[in-house]
Amino acid sequence: MTQTRIVLVTGGAKGVGRGISERFLAAGHTVLVCGREAPTQLPQVDGRSAVFMACDVRDAAAVDALFAGIAAQYGRLDVLVNNAGGAPFALADKASPRFHEKIIALNLLAPLHLAQKANALMQQQTSGGVIVFVASISALRPSPGTAAYGAAKAGILSLTQSLAVEWAPKVRVVAVSPGLVRTEQSSLHYGDDDGIAAVAATVPMQRMAEPSDIGDACVWLSSPAASYASGTNLVLHGGGERPAFLAAAAVNKG
């Protein structure tokens, strides 16, 4: 039987984070989710609900208070899933320096601070712990319209490798890089249902990922079954993106 663990999922009440929270709940773990405001409905599975803890992950003092509360209430933290993040569409030459600073703060600096606090707690535990960074395919290919976001996620992949060396063997550090994921906010990026379907058709698997797909990967990577995985990045993109030159070429259309 899987041992129940204490899992913190930042931004774990909506979108990809909700899918992650639900998969950890389904696996029998105690799930804590944090955000700036309490959600209207917490992730629930089979009558078991996640626990909400208020925290703006960009506020260092709030993060310190969050981990102090976890230590006081639960006495440990076994898994941190650094999921909170995101960015609106903004062309790099049109966005202000302040805008770029905010994107980097949310998607790179905040996860680093959270990881520092988690590591400090996990290093004191006999069983150590696991830190999962939710990165993005944007770190591995051009990210037009979200350039600062892609750069921040590339920084996350570098952090994953460096922290895995610094914090081993007690703490494993891994990353998951989703490709296109269908969430309640997909329309903001891809348009109406027809637009979403058209984008999904460009993926070799003929669909976008579901948040639960990302959740399953996080559960596995943080489990004893992946005990030798550290400093690694699991790319979940449904086969990637078909190279544009294949459509443009006048031959070899098979």
Side-chain angles (χ1 to χ4, degrees):
M1 183 177 179
T2 303
Q3 181 181 2
T4 299
R5 291 178 292 170
I6 307 300
V7 181
L8 171 63
V9 183
T10 66
K14 61 183 180 180
V16 171
R18 189 178 190 89
I20 295 171
S21 298
E22 289 173 347
R23 298 314 293 157
F24 273 104
L25 283 169
H29 302 301
T30 297
V31 177
L32 317 177
V33 299
C34 69
R36 287 179 293 172
E37 299 178 354
T40 55
Q41 184 177 7
L42 284 164
Q44 294 184 356
V45 174
D46 296 330
R48 299 178 61 251
S49 176
V51 177
F52 176 75
M53 304 182 81
C55 179
D56 182 343
V57 297
R58 300 166 299 181
D59 183 333
V63 172
D64 291 348
L66 170 67
F67 279 88
I70 292 171
Q73 187 168 350
Y74 298 97
R76 64 183 299 107
L77 179 66
D78 300 293
V79 181
L80 164 65
V81 182
N82 248 325
N83 165 75
F89 182 90
L91 294 174
D93 63 340
K94 303 296 191 297
S96 69
R98 180 60 177 156
F99 175 87
H100 288 147
E101 289 170 5
K102 287 183 176 180
I103 297 302
I104 299 298
L106 174 60
N107 292 285
L108 179 59
L109 299 180
L112 172 56
H113 185 207
L114 283 149
Q116 286 178 306
K117 300 300 292 187
N119 175 67
L121 190 54
M122 293 172 176
Q123 291 289 347
Q124 301 174 40
Q125 300 168 177
T126 302
S127 58
V130 183
I131 296 170
V132 182
F133 286 103
V134 178
S136 171
I137 197 66
S138 294
L140 301 170
R141 55 123 168 94
S143 188
T146 53
Y149 172 81
K153 291 300 188 179
I156 288 294
L157 296 184
S158 179
L159 271 182
T160 297
Q161 296 178 75
S162 297
L163 300 184
V165 174
E166 290 192 20
W167 297 347
K170 270 292 189 70
V171 175
R172 291 194 296 113
V173 185
V174 295
V176 174
S177 287
L180 305 178
V181 185
R182 180 161 186 168
T183 70
E184 65 270 23
Q185 293 188 319
S186 289
S187 61
L188 298 178
H189 300 282
Y190 313 121
D192 59 14
D193 288 345
D194 288 342
I196 292 171
V199 171
T202 69
V203 179
M205 291 297 289
Q206 295 294 290
R207 70 175 180 89
M208 295 186 193
E210 296 295 331
S212 59
D213 292 318
I214 314 307
D216 286 334
C218 292
V219 170
W220 177 74
L221 275 173
S222 63
S223 75
S227 63
Y228 200 61
S230 195
T232 192
N233 174 38
L234 178 57
V235 180
L236 296 174
H237 58 11
E241 300 175 10
R242 186 175 175 82
F245 78 85
L246 293 176
V251 294
N252 301 326
K253 293 290 189 179

